Amino acid sequence: MTQDLLSAIAAYIPRDRVERILRPELPEARDGVALIADMSGFTPLTEAFATGLSADQGAEELTRALETIFTPLVHAIHAYGGSVLKFSGDALIVVYPRAAHSPRTALIRRVIASALQMQQAMQIHGVVSTPLGPVTLRMKIGFVYGPFRRFTLGLPEFGLEDTLIGATLDQMAEAEHHAEPGEILADHATLALVERDVLLGEERNEYRVVAGLRRIPQQYPWPPLQWGDTATEDLAKRLTPYIPASIARTLASGRTQVAEL
């Protein structure tokens, strides 16, 4: 088992989960920020590629477009200590766990900076050229701070699912529900913790539009993965149950492109 293969497998697993697999002594966070980024425009995008190109070409161009869009989004999340928990359809569910004794205000400021950077990335990369003309993708974001519980469900031989649950997730979804494309919304309780640092816009029920920050905080990126002497078959056995078996086999065969028609 090579370190390159371990890194390829780890790319499909939430970054904080990989950290805890490498360092089991780390405590599981019990609170933090849950964020959902929901995109619109994927239906006309896929239809344009399916209609304007052959099946193989359409799948290839769609894969390239998705990589162009999602790579800077994931970078903006990782740069401020977040982890992509799940790609749910055309939405990203993200968790920014709060480390023990870390101030809530600092975490929320980082999340807002991360969300603003994500929206900037969509403005840059969200217009996709297709055989039928340009298609514009847009994104709306909702986030809240609060308690949650993290569970690993399943059995290694059948597959493991990394799951986040709690009322905080319901409030996160409700915040996104009130947002319009291009906006970032959060609840009053979360924004009250950073009211001196954040620029606010329109109010919608128990949520408000986040228009900006008075000062962008320093990034809080995840450290590079350090496999060291841990690049063993045992470590691979702990990582691979978190990804579909077909992807694990594809990566093990040496292929880096796992998309299929």
Side-chain angles (χ1 to χ4, degrees), residues 211-232:
L213 282 169
R214 301 187 188 280
R215 182 175 60 86
I216 300 298
Q218 184 177 358
Q219 292 188 352
Y220 192 74
W222 290 101
L225 289 170
Q226 300 291 336
W227 301 112
D229 297 331
T230 62
T232 64

Side-chain angles (χ1 to χ4, degrees), residues 30 36 45 62 76 78 84 110 124 131 170 182 187 251:
R30 294 299 184 95
I36 182 169
L45 178 66
L62 178 60
H78 284 182
V84 179
R110 289 198 301 268
I124 296 171
D170 297 329
D187 65 317
L251 296 174

Side-chain angles (χ1 to χ4, degrees), residues 173-252:
E174 189 66 17
E176 181 270 326
H177 176 72
H178 286 87
E180 297 292 335
E183 292 183 338
I184 304 166
L185 258 69
D187 65 317
H188 287 173
T190 298
L191 295 175
L193 296 171
V194 291
E195 58 184 349
R196 295 183 179 180
D197 305 308
V198 64
L199 302 173
L200 298 176
E202 182 181 343
E203 182 172 359
R204 301 195 188 129
N205 293 339
E206 299 299 318
Y207 304 90
R208 289 196 72 175
V209 174
V210 178
L213 282 169
R214 301 187 188 280
R215 182 175 60 86
I216 300 298
Q218 184 177 358
Q219 292 188 352
Y220 192 74
W222 290 101
L225 289 170
Q226 300 291 336
W227 301 112
D229 297 331
T230 62
T232 64
E233 293 295 332
D234 178 67
L235 180 55
K237 289 179 180 178
R238 285 185 279 152
L239 289 170
T240 52
Y242 285 93
I243 68 175
S246 59
I247 291 181
R249 289 193 297 268
T250 299
L251 296 174

